[in-house]
Amino acid sequence: MAGSADFNLKIVLVSFKQCLNEKEEVLLDHYITSWKGLVRFLNSLGTVFSFISKDVVSKLHIMEHLRSSPQCEHYTSLQSMVAYEVGNGLIDLDRRSRNPNSGCRTMLRLHRALHWLQLFLEGLRTSPEDARTSTLCLDSYNASLAAYHPWIVRQAVTVAFCTLPSRKAFLEAMNVGPPEEAVEMLGEALPFIKQVYDISQRLYTEHSLLNLP
């Protein structure tokens, strides 16, 4: 499950720092690029995370389409996107039939997945050497994505997580050196993801968008 030689998770995680400008706006081009790096990391770990990575890739394609659309100037940042879609009634607050691919709905799915990955990587960082990665991953999943998945998906995910490799193998797949260096790197880099997540969470909360169908 080792990643490719030119892959380094630290570069991916630190790239989230570039997602924020001086106004603490979440820049969508950098957000998309950073998520692509995370998908590469997930895919390097095997098929166990494909249920997440495939969905993330489909959402990234939607956002890239919006960024290249005639309305692209409204999709430069998360803040400008929310203001545009809320102001023009482009969001379905009670059903998803009219605007299933709205930017706000699409980014919310990416936002939820980012929370899961943030929690899981933080669990890897703070856990003891003999920690079970299946438990760490399931705890992170239950605290984030599980609430939005049907029962059959939750059961399949629970079974899949039982096949996860050791904590040491996960840390080595990050390609930043020995496990202790990977742990140190996570401590330095994860705050960048958390800041992006927290700013996004506040924005969605302010506009009552956290439960878009």
Side-chain angles (χ1 to χ4, degrees):
M1 69 173 258
S4 59
D6 61 343
F7 178 80
N8 183 313
L9 187 62
K10 180 178 182 179
I11 295 174
V12 174
L13 296 182
V14 172
S15 71
F16 273 90
K17 185 178 183 180
Q18 298 176 300
C19 291
L20 300 176
N21 62 15
E22 65 280 357
K23 298 178 182 178
E24 291 197 332
E25 294 172 321
V26 180
L27 305 176
L28 294 182
D29 284 343
H30 288 296
Y31 189 92
I32 292 168
T33 298
S34 296
W35 246 121
K36 285 182 177 179
L38 293 179
V39 168
R40 189 177 177 192
F41 172 64
L42 292 176
N43 288 341
S44 77
L45 300 171
T47 60
V48 66
F49 293 125
S50 62
F51 79 100
I52 291 176
S53 63
K54 287 179 180 178
D55 186 56
V56 166
V57 168
S58 71
K59 300 299 185 286
L60 293 177
H61 285 163
I62 293 172
M63 294 310 302
E64 288 180 319
H65 174 74
L66 292 173
R67 283 293 296 131
S68 61
S69 71
Q71 294 76 35
C72 60
E73 75 270 14
H74 299 296
Y75 292 91
T76 55
S77 73
L78 186 65
Q79 286 76 5
S80 65
M81 178 194 75
V82 169
Y84 171 67
E85 292 196 345
V86 169
N88 289 275
L90 299 176
I91 307 169
D92 294 329
L93 296 176
D94 53 359
R95 64 187 190 279
R96 56 168 295 193
S97 56
R98 289 179 300 160
N99 298 293
N101 294 335
S102 69
C104 286
R105 181 184 185 276
T106 302
M107 282 294 292
L108 179 60
R109 271 56 183 178
L110 293 170
H111 176 68
R112 291 169 178 171
L114 187 66
H115 190 211
W116 161 74
L117 191 54
Q118 174 204 340
L119 292 175
F120 179 48
L121 292 175
E122 182 64 18
L124 287 174
R125 184 184 77 84
T126 58
S127 60
E129 291 183 10
D130 60 350
R132 293 174 57 87
T133 54
S134 57
T135 301
L136 295 175
C137 203
L138 186 59
D139 288 347
S140 302
Y141 175 76
N142 286 337
S144 54
L145 288 173
Y148 308 103
H149 288 164
W151 179 87
I152 191 169
V153 172
R154 296 197 303 270
Q155 291 301 109
V157 167
T158 300
V159 173
F161 285 166
C162 292
T163 67
L164 289 175
S166 67
R167 177 178 180 271
K168 181 175 181 288
F170 264 101
L171 296 173
E172 289 176 345
M174 297 176 186
N175 277 359
V176 294
E180 58 270 17
E181 291 185 20
V183 168
E184 183 178 351
M185 177 277 295
L186 289 174
E188 297 171 355
L190 280 176
F192 299 130
I193 282 187
K194 186 177 188 303
Q195 187 177 15
V196 170
Y197 175 83
D198 288 346
I199 290 172
S200 304
Q201 182 77 1
R202 286 198 298 271
L203 181 66
Y204 270 77
T205 300
E206 289 168 4
H207 291 274
S208 302
L209 299 175
L210 285 174
N211 295 303
L212 290 179

